[in-house]
Amino acid sequence: HGCAISVASASMLSEEIKGKNIDELKKLTKEKILELLGIPISPVRLKCALLSLDTLKNSILIFEKYVNKQV
């Protein structure tokens, strides 16, 4: 559940990341997300548009910390 922009952004990001490795995912930028959306995003809605990218980046950090603990 979420606003239309956050849901659309998450959907487009999920399609974009399929088949990519972690190093490729780390290179994803806010500009890429905005490009995928293809519509102007106001400063107020920017947080909505980038929520999925922020979640992905935080998930990668958590995963890497876990993997490093296991080694």
Side-chain angles (χ1 to χ4, degrees):
H1 292 78
C3 72
I5 292 174
S6 67
V7 172
S9 175
S11 178
M12 290 177 188
L13 180 63
S14 69
E15 290 298 318
E16 181 70 20
I17 67 175
K18 287 181 183 174
K20 290 192 164 78
N21 63 43
I22 289 181
D23 290 330
E24 292 171 310
L25 298 179
K26 287 180 178 180
K27 294 177 185 174
L28 287 171
T29 63
K30 122 181 168 174
E31 290 76 22
K32 180 62 177 177
I33 299 301
L34 297 175
E35 176 187 321
L36 289 172
L37 285 169
I39 59 171
I41 303 295
S42 71
V44 173
R45 301 307 298 269
L46 190 58
K47 189 172 183 177
C48 300
L50 300 177
L51 180 61
S52 58
L53 180 62
D54 186 48
T55 302
L56 174 66
K57 300 273 183 167
N58 283 319
S59 298
I60 291 169
L61 289 173
I62 292 167
F63 172 77
E64 289 180 331
K65 284 181 185 178
Y66 176 78
V67 168
N68 288 334
K69 279 185 169 182
Q70 300 300 314
V71 175

